[in-house]
Amino acid sequence: MNARAAANEPGFTLIEVLVSLSILVTVVLGVAQSFTLAIRSNDRARSMAFTTILAAEQLERLRALSWHFDAAGSRITDLETDLSRSPEQAGGVGLRPSPADALDRNVSGYCDFLNGTGRSIGAGTSPPTGTAYVRRWSIEPLAAHPLDGIVLHVRVLPAQSALSSERPVVGEARVSTVRARRAW
């Protein structure tokens, strides 16, 4: 076969193969990067959902404490339950107003430490070994009705970010509610 006949035969040249391979590699890398981003986003969403559940759980525990009027019209307020322990017990701060910075630092009586499954593993100001999440809460009198209304805030954040004080961090959750006394 002569050179002219070989040039007219159908087939691929080396340049065509290299261009095709480079396009294929670019597409595969783009798809792989999309999968990586999707996995990261999914992990963040799972973390946010979990911290939100932990925060809502504590908010419901706070809302379950006595805060009402009795039959005679006297104010009843739980000032003794320790919600930093699980199960809760006497000897705590109950619904007493918290320090102003209780959501930004570990304040005894207004925080607890949770393991990776959300189980409380301790309280106080220093996280024990195995802490995955720090849960903090604050109780403030409602400005318009300080004797009969309170504002409850709960913040849950990953333990490694707990040193960041006031700024929100990735993976944290905050929930709040207002509670008014009611007659029984």
Side-chain angles (χ1 to χ4, degrees), residues 52 55 103-104 154-156 165-168 172-176:
T52 301
L103 293 178
D104 300 325
V154 180
R155 180 183 187 195
V156 177
S165 60
E166 299 166 11
R167 294 187 3 220
E172 86 167 62
R174 292 181 187 228
V175 293
S176 301

Side-chain angles (χ1 to χ4, degrees), residues 13-31:
T13 64
L14 182 57
I15 293 175
E16 290 172 326
V17 170
L18 289 175
V19 168
S20 298
L21 281 175
S22 67
I23 291 171
L24 182 64
V25 167
T26 303
V27 169
V28 168
L29 288 177
V31 169

Side-chain angles (χ1 to χ4, degrees), residues 29-102:
L29 288 177
V31 169
Q33 187 176 18
S34 295
F35 279 127
T36 303
L37 288 172
I39 290 169
R40 240 185 264 143
S41 294
N42 209 8
D43 286 344
R44 265 194 218 126
R46 184 180 303 114
S47 176
M48 283 297 300
F50 191 60
T51 56
T52 301
I53 289 168
L54 294 174
E57 175 185 78
Q58 185 68 11
L59 189 65
E60 288 306 313
R61 291 174 71 204
L62 286 163
R63 289 176 50 80
L65 297 179
S66 296
W67 176 262
H68 59 273
F69 293 107
D70 67 8
S74 299
R75 290 177 175 90
I76 304 296
T77 304
D78 184 330
L79 301 175
E80 297 299 322
T81 301
D82 185 357
L83 290 180
S84 65
R85 309 257 183 239
S86 183
E88 56 262 357
Q89 51 193 304
V93 296
L95 291 173
R96 295 175 202 259
S98 60
D101 61 349

Side-chain angles (χ1 to χ4, degrees), residues 120-166:
S120 181
I121 57 172
T125 57
S126 299
T129 303
T131 298
Y133 299 96
V134 176
R135 182 167 53 191
R136 300 171 179 156
W137 56 92
S138 71
I139 303 161
E140 307 167 10
L142 187 61
H145 301 281
L147 295 177
D148 297 322
I150 53 176
V151 181
L152 306 171
H153 301 281
V154 180
R155 180 183 187 195
V156 177
L157 58 160
Q160 68 270 18
S161 343
L163 300 177
S164 311
S165 60
E166 299 166 11

